[in-house]
Amino acid sequence: MIIDIHGHYTTAPKVLETWRNRQIAGITNPAEMPKASELRIGDDELRESIETNQLRLMRERGLDLTIFSPRASFMAHHIGDFQISSTWAAICNELCFRVSRLFPDHFIPAAMLPQSPGVDAATCIPELVKCVEEFGNVAINLNPDPSGGHWNAPPLSDRHWYPLYEKMVQYDVPAMIHVSTSCNPCFHTTGAHYLNADTTAFMQCLTSDLFKDFPTLRFIIPHGGGAVPYHWGRFRGLAQEMKKPLLKDHLLNNVFFDTCVYHQPGIDLLTRVIPVGNILFASEMIGAVRGIDPETGFNFDDTKRYIDAAHIDAEERHKIYEANARRVYPRLDAALKAKGR
Amino acid sequence: MIIDIHGHYTTAPKVLETWRNRQIAGITNPAEMPKASELRIGDDELRESIETNQLRLMRERGLDLTIFSPRASFMAHHIGDFQISSTWAAICNELCFRVSRLFPDHFIPAAMLPQSPGVDAATCIPELVKCVEEFGNVAINLNPDPSGGHWNAPPLSDRHWYPLYEKMVQYDVPAMIHVSTSCNPCFHTTGAHYLNADTTAFMQCLTSDLFKDFPTLRFIIPHGGGAVPYHWGRFRGLAQEMKKPLLKDHLLNNVFFDTCVYHQPGIDLLTRVIPVGNILFASEMIGAVRGIDPETGFNFDDTKRYIDAAHIDAEERHKIYEANARRVYPRLDAALKAKGR
């Protein structure tokens, strides 16, 4: 089985965006604020938006199952207050849940959180509880910068985040560390902010002893870990200067990287540098880079081709495609086993 | 000849730091503000600080010449106002100039600028002029985030920077795009902020048409280009989505990467992905990562070993070690030729 641990619902029916725009308008003009119940999307619309997009490509590429979360760039936690984020997160999470019900063999949900700049992280717990207990979510997406590029939240090692970590540990759900849209003109969202956040999050873990406090907490750093594997020597050297343990002992029981790296040399570096047990297959399809690579004739984000061509053996490939995901996402494994998969 | 294009004066005599601390104290207590003339460092002290450190390692490693600039993390443009930065830049640049006079065969200077958050970039021009015309500087270091991790300056493509670019083009000096200390607790200086800035700067160039306005402007993105070569497919794909030309035409006449990547797999990726004409040898020695890699038994920052072991031929190696530097830094080439080198 091939599990893609990183897919977002980037193809939701247009009425979702229209509703969101009305919600944003309602922040300054409360008379325009729509009710959640005014958003109506039928099962047929959901089904079509998936069948013609993600599911079509999954079938073409031979992917079996996607861990499916709301569109990352639309989380936009910087917009409005907690109540705005809370309503928006509930809507987006419910849609991913409904997709997982419509296509139970192909999609399993992961939740966005109703984060809001400066707000206690514990306020996200009710949505997390609902998504895990009622919607069968197997993971969450945690935004280390709810400001959208101003980076004024505490580092991930700060106690600010601990209430969330306690709940994650209790449920045994991992977090993908994933920012949203940049509203800072310095940072292009998918070309700079995403990769910077990946590198930043890893370094926040490296400089701290977070995983001493939470030995079973697990983070997935997406987009191939940002700059981290390419600079693995730098990070090993910095950890050594700081008298930290070797990275494999200090971080690699808790930190994992996905394979959203859109060319063969990048995947070759990833599989050469990072232990195979820490690499999880993903494509972030349909996402930031949708075109066909003129150098290969295939889609940039068809990452399965790179994994298939990487210099790893069948057992290693099985870990990347399936076994690691089952280990890092125990609720995914349990859901699959309950169906005899 | 082997030219290291990226060395900082990280080993200056302690009195420099002491003076700087007095200057910082003087911002809030003007009675304590030291005069520049109160800083006295003799030639013997300078000589010893270099001979026992950078020059010793250059000899051990077989490096001939270093483009030498003030310590990056000490630029700290966020501290004080323009006058504070101006005095500090003048002091630091003069020290690097003096090092180049003491060791004319081994060091040639590059200038830090007296940047200050929110201040017109043109205010940096007098220091640039002095450093080029009187001190023989062959390049500048340009900080794209003088705030130190708050990223509130305009992107490098903004007209804010154009007065500097005009002067750079007139003198035909390139800029290394290099941030300084992070005062944002989210960003570790050398493990996150430096690499993020590299990726950010590249993407600012990619999304703009800066090099249409300045066809001969040249930027060096240090630290192996941050996350860029590892994600080269992503950047090619993003450029394609934006209907930009191929990156080789859009950026690679103007943007270059150094080899400050501290392990063999990273250098192998760099030389596989980036055209060899855009790669310039560098080690940033003595810098952020000073230890010995237990996996190799050699210093992490002994990057010549990785270039020597890379799968490139002798002509390509010559370009990385020398020919590209002469082309990208024409004033370096002229200075060498004037000495018959």
Side-chain angles (χ1 to χ4, degrees), chain B residues 25-338:
Chain B
I27 296 169
T28 45
N29 187 354
E32 289 184 33
M33 184 64 77
K35 292 177 186 163
S37 60
E38 290 175 48
L39 176 67
R40 290 203 187 81
I41 302 178
D43 281 354
D44 285 350
E45 289 172 277
L46 285 186
R47 208 177 276 119
E48 201 219 339
S49 74
I50 295 291
E51 270 179 348
T52 59
N53 291 299
Q54 286 87 354
L55 192 56
R56 174 180 60 83
L57 290 169
M58 286 167 66
R59 284 174 173 144
E60 281 178 23
R61 299 178 185 181
L63 314 184
D64 300 294
L65 178 70
T66 296
I67 298 179
F68 203 54
S69 60
R71 186 173 192 167
S73 64
F74 274 28
M75 297 191 298
H77 295 117
H78 62 279
I79 295 176
D81 58 11
F82 170 75
Q83 196 50 55
I84 294 291
S85 276
S86 186
T87 305
W88 178 235
I91 285 173
C92 294
N93 285 330
E94 190 182 5
L95 288 177
C96 287
F97 167 61
R98 288 175 60 199
V99 167
S100 76
R101 283 290 174 97
L102 292 169
F103 302 98
D105 291 340
H106 299 296
F107 294 91
I108 196 159
M112 70 174 273
L113 298 177
Q115 295 178 247
S116 194
V119 175
D120 186 341
T123 58
C124 295
I125 291 178
E127 182 70 19
L128 190 165
V129 169
K130 180 191 72 184
C131 285
V132 171
E133 297 203 353
E134 297 176 33
F135 290 173
N137 279 239
V138 299
I140 59 170
N141 291 339
L142 179 62
N143 184 347
D145 172 33
S147 78
H150 296 295
W151 289 97
N152 45 25
L156 291 171
S157 51
D158 192 275
R159 288 185 169 272
H160 168 78
W161 306 98
Y162 276 29
L164 262 179
Y165 298 159
E166 284 160 11
K167 207 71 191 171
M168 288 170 58
V169 165
Q170 180 198 324
Y171 282 136
D172 210 9
V173 293
M176 178 171 282
I177 308 301
H178 204 308
V179 287
S180 185
T181 291
S182 162
C183 56
N184 182 330
C186 285
F187 302 130
H188 184 272
T189 295
T190 54
H193 189 44
Y194 281 17
L195 302 175
N196 293 350
D198 303 336
T199 309
T200 299
F202 183 82
M203 198 62 197
Q204 290 176 355
C205 296
L206 190 156
T207 53
S208 76
D209 290 314
L210 175 60
F211 301 118
K212 280 190 182 158
D213 283 353
F214 295 99
T216 64
L217 185 68
R218 292 181 305 284
F219 288 163
I220 297 95
I221 314 274
H223 320 108
V228 172
Y230 176 47
H231 286 283
W232 196 239
R234 186 180 192 87
F235 290 99
R236 289 196 292 109
L238 288 168
Q240 184 171 295
E241 301 264 307
M242 293 174 205
K243 317 287 185 203
K244 298 288 185 188
L246 291 177
L247 291 185
K248 72 180 177 60
D249 302 316
H250 183 46
L251 296 179
L252 292 188
N253 295 312
N254 307 86
V255 173
F256 303 85
F257 302 101
D258 81 9
T259 66
C260 294
V261 179
Y262 295 153
H263 63 155
Q264 189 67 48
I267 291 292
D268 289 346
L269 176 114
L270 177 66
T271 53
R272 180 176 171 193
V273 167
I274 302 298
V276 74
N278 292 79
I279 303 173
L280 280 70
F281 177 71
S283 68
E284 200 169 6
M285 173 272 289
I286 298 170
V289 183
R290 303 184 180 200
I292 290 173
D293 185 345
E295 295 185 8
T296 66
F298 300 107
N299 285 89
F300 283 105
D301 65 5
D302 188 357
T303 53
K304 178 169 176 290
R305 290 181 183 275
Y306 314 135
I307 301 296
D308 285 345
H311 295 283
I312 49 177
D313 65 26
E315 190 187 329
E316 292 171 321
R317 203 165 274 117
H318 172 70
K319 285 183 180 173
I320 292 173
Y321 279 144
E322 178 182 347
N324 294 339
R326 287 181 181 264
R327 180 166 49 89
V328 175
Y329 298 76
R331 285 175 178 266
L332 166 68
D333 187 49
L336 289 170
K337 283 184 173 147

Side-chain angles (χ1 to χ4, degrees), chain A residues 196 200 224 230 236 240 263 293, chain B residues 196 200 224 230 236 263 293:
Chain A
N196 293 350
T200 299
Y230 175 47
R236 288 194 294 108
Q240 185 170 294
H263 62 155
D293 185 345
Chain B
N196 293 350
T200 299
Y230 176 47
R236 289 196 292 109
H263 63 155
D293 185 345

Side-chain angles (χ1 to χ4, degrees), chain A residues 12 34 37 68-69 97 119 148 153 165 174 181 184 189 200 207 213 259 276 300 305 310 319 322 336:
Chain A
S37 60
F68 203 56
S69 59
F97 167 61
V119 175
Y165 298 159
T181 291
N184 183 330
T189 295
T200 299
T207 54
D213 283 353
T259 66
V276 73
F300 283 105
R305 289 181 183 276
K319 285 183 179 172
E322 177 182 348
L336 289 171

Side-chain angles (χ1 to χ4, degrees), chain A residues 8-307:
Chain A
H8 301 295
Y9 194 11
T10 50
T11 59
K14 184 76 177 169
V15 290
L16 179 67
E17 187 176 348
T18 306
W19 188 94
R20 173 65 161 172
N21 288 339
R22 288 181 60 207
Q23 188 198 33
I24 294 168
I27 295 169
T28 44
N29 186 355
E32 289 183 33
M33 184 63 78
K35 293 178 186 164
S37 60
E38 290 175 48
L39 175 66
R40 290 203 186 81
I41 302 178
D43 282 353
D44 285 351
E45 288 172 278
L46 286 186
R47 208 177 275 118
E48 202 219 339
S49 74
I50 294 292
E51 270 178 348
T52 59
N53 290 300
Q54 286 85 353
L55 192 56
R56 173 180 60 82
L57 289 169
M58 286 167 67
R59 284 175 172 144
E60 281 178 22
R61 299 179 186 182
L63 315 183
D64 299 295
L65 178 70
T66 295
I67 299 179
F68 203 56
S69 59
R71 186 172 193 168
S73 64
F74 273 29
M75 297 190 299
H77 295 117
H78 62 280
I79 295 175
D81 58 10
F82 171 76
Q83 195 51 55
I84 294 291
S85 275
S86 186
T87 305
W88 178 235
I91 285 173
C92 293
N93 286 329
E94 190 182 6
L95 288 176
C96 287
F97 167 61
R98 288 175 61 199
V99 167
S100 76
R101 282 291 174 97
L102 292 169
F103 302 97
D105 292 340
H106 299 296
F107 295 91
I108 195 159
M112 70 175 272
L113 298 177
Q115 295 177 247
S116 194
V119 175
D120 185 343
T123 57
C124 295
I125 292 178
E127 182 70 18
L128 190 165
V129 168
K130 180 190 73 183
C131 286
V132 171
E133 297 204 351
E134 297 176 33
F135 290 174
N137 280 238
V138 299
I140 60 169
N141 291 339
L142 179 62
N143 184 347
D145 172 31
S147 77
H150 296 294
W151 289 96
N152 45 24
L156 291 171
S157 51
D158 192 276
R159 289 184 169 271
H160 168 78
W161 305 98
Y162 276 28
L164 261 179
Y165 298 159
E166 285 160 11
K167 208 69 192 171
M168 287 170 58
V169 166
Q170 181 197 324
Y171 282 136
D172 210 9
V173 293
M176 177 171 282
I177 308 300
H178 204 309
V179 287
S180 185
T181 291
S182 162
C183 56
N184 183 330
C186 284
F187 303 129
H188 184 271
T189 295
T190 54
H193 190 43
Y194 281 17
L195 303 175
N196 293 350
D198 303 335
T199 309
T200 299
F202 183 82
M203 198 63 197
Q204 290 176 355
C205 296
L206 190 156
T207 54
S208 76
D209 291 314
L210 175 60
F211 302 119
K212 280 191 183 159
D213 283 353
F214 295 99
T216 62
L217 185 69
R218 293 182 302 286
F219 288 164
I220 297 95
I221 314 273
H223 321 107
V228 172
Y230 175 47
H231 286 283
W232 196 239
R234 185 179 193 86
F235 290 98
R236 288 194 294 108
L238 287 168
Q240 185 170 294
E241 301 265 307
M242 293 175 205
K243 316 288 185 203
K244 298 289 184 187
L246 293 176
L247 291 185
K248 71 179 178 62
D249 302 315
H250 183 47
L251 296 179
L252 293 188
N253 295 312
N254 307 86
V255 173
F256 303 84
F257 302 101
D258 80 8
T259 66
C260 294
V261 179
Y262 295 152
H263 62 155
Q264 189 68 48
I267 291 292
D268 289 347
L269 175 115
L270 177 67
T271 54
R272 180 176 170 192
V273 168
I274 302 298
V276 73
N278 292 78
I279 303 173
L280 281 71
F281 177 72
S283 68
E284 201 170 5
M285 173 272 290
I286 297 170
V289 183
R290 303 184 179 199
I292 290 173
D293 185 345
E295 295 184 8
T296 66
F298 299 107
N299 285 89
F300 283 105
D301 66 3
D302 189 356
T303 54
K304 179 170 176 289
R305 289 181 183 276
Y306 313 134
I307 301 296

